[in-house]
Amino acid sequence: MDKKIEEFLSNVEEKLEFFSQLGIDFVSFSSPSKESPFLSLKEKILHCQKCPLAQGRKNVVPGEGSLNTELVFVGEAPGRDEDIQGRPFIGKAGQLLTKIINAMNFKREDVYITNIVKCRPPENRNPHKEEIRECCGYLLAQLELIKPRVIVTLGKVAADFFIRSTSGMTALRGNFHEFENIQVMPTFHPSYLIRNEGNKEIRKMVWEDMQKVMAFLGKK
Ligand code: URA
């Protein structure tokens, strides 16, 4: 073996031994190159004052999850619970989203979850076009760093951002659409599922959409 490689391996071995003596038996080899630009992006998002939503917010909700994921979920905007805690999808709709993610054989922390706009619109109204225009650079930067293979959009606002079409959700869902080399699967928003709790047809459609995502990612 090359002397340099041998030296390098013995160095690594020594370090692992040192970590294990400290009781650390897990060393992350995830690329640090993503984390530091992501942190500075997060800082920018947290201090954003680009649109009037900044005035009404309690907390900014940048997003959360794995940066090394192939799968990103994008909702519309934070709601009341999310605004209070600064975390995406943690209210009733979020709990349902977590169940869907788990049913897809992922853990919530294995995927990345975010929204089109990062601050709560008053009374949970849909975000305005100008608010989306000001905020969307953050989402695009997040996607540029994560480089997922699939984006699942939740609801019409998120679908409309990625897919240039005048069709409604029922026509859009069920098929992949392409956005900057990423496959986008639009599906219904979990709040819509909750509002139509007895409607098995909608639930079935969402599950069909998620199965297509799982098949694409080789997760069956
Ligand atoms: N609805 C959304 O679209 N996003 C959230 O984060 C929570 C509810």
Side-chain angles (χ1 to χ4, degrees):
M1 200 189 299
D2 186 302
K3 192 113 181 61
K4 275 196 180 145
I5 299 179
E6 219 170 311
E7 250 172 46
F8 172 76
L9 287 178
S10 112
N11 215 331
V12 170
E13 217 173 332
E14 235 172 68
K15 286 213 166 84
L16 288 176
E17 176 61 26
F18 173 67
F19 284 133
S20 101
Q21 280 166 5
L22 292 177
I24 300 166
D25 59 3
F26 172 77
V27 180
S28 167
F29 290 102
S30 73
S31 145
S33 59
K34 266 188 193 182
E35 270 146 38
S36 109
F38 217 89
L39 276 182
S40 44
L41 175 61
K42 188 175 171 185
E43 270 310 295
K44 273 194 201 146
I45 302 175
L46 289 176
H47 294 102
C48 182
Q49 296 288 338
K50 287 205 285 181
C51 89
L53 295 183
Q55 264 82 67
R57 74 187 177 214
K58 289 194 171 61
N59 285 291
V60 186
V61 185
E64 69 181 21
S66 168
L67 308 185
N68 297 308
T69 186
E70 296 191 318
L71 179 56
V72 171
F73 288 82
V74 180
E76 176 179 314
R80 185 175 170 276
D81 297 311
E82 292 76 19
D83 178 55
I84 291 171
Q85 289 198 40
R87 296 180 54 209
F89 280 98
I90 43 129
K92 235 178 144 199
Q95 284 157 28
L96 180 54
L97 176 63
T98 305
K99 278 191 192 160
I100 294 170
I101 292 169
N102 293 155
M104 295 171 77
N105 282 333
F106 285 101
K107 290 197 215 100
R108 192 180 147 105
E109 56 271 27
D110 293 338
V111 302
Y112 196 81
I113 305 174
T114 188
N115 285 297
I116 300 284
V117 301
K118 314 301 190 198
C119 296
R120 183 193 184 198
E123 310 301 323
N124 294 350
R125 65 156 168 76
N126 283 358
H128 292 155
K129 270 206 186 93
E130 313 79 67
E131 292 158 357
I132 295 178
R133 200 182 317 121
E134 290 296 346
C135 202
C136 70
Y138 297 133
L139 173 63
L140 296 175
Q142 288 174 321
L143 294 172
E144 185 58 38
L145 286 168
I146 297 173
K147 298 196 190 313
R149 290 178 68 207
V150 176
I151 297 169
V152 172
T153 59
L154 304 164
K156 186 78 171 87
V157 170
D160 283 347
F161 177 76
F162 292 102
I163 305 160
R164 300 281 163 228
S165 163
T166 49
S167 305
M169 272 307 300
T170 313
L172 290 178
R173 62 143 293 269
N175 292 302
F176 283 110
H177 304 252
E178 201 165 307
F179 176 85
E180 310 271 326
N181 285 327
I182 307 171
Q183 296 300 308
V184 175
M185 174 59 78
T187 199
F188 295 108
H189 196 287
S191 304
Y192 183 70
L193 289 183
I194 293 169
R195 285 200 301 277
N196 295 279
E197 211 169 353
N199 190 329
K200 286 201 181 124
E201 198 47 43
I202 302 173
R203 259 171 44 196
K204 193 167 150 254
M205 286 191 272
V206 171
W207 186 233
E208 277 169 13
D209 299 344
M210 295 308 99
Q211 280 182 308
K212 286 188 183 167
V213 170
M214 288 160 69
F216 183 83
L217 295 175
K219 194 99 181 175
K220 268 273 170 185

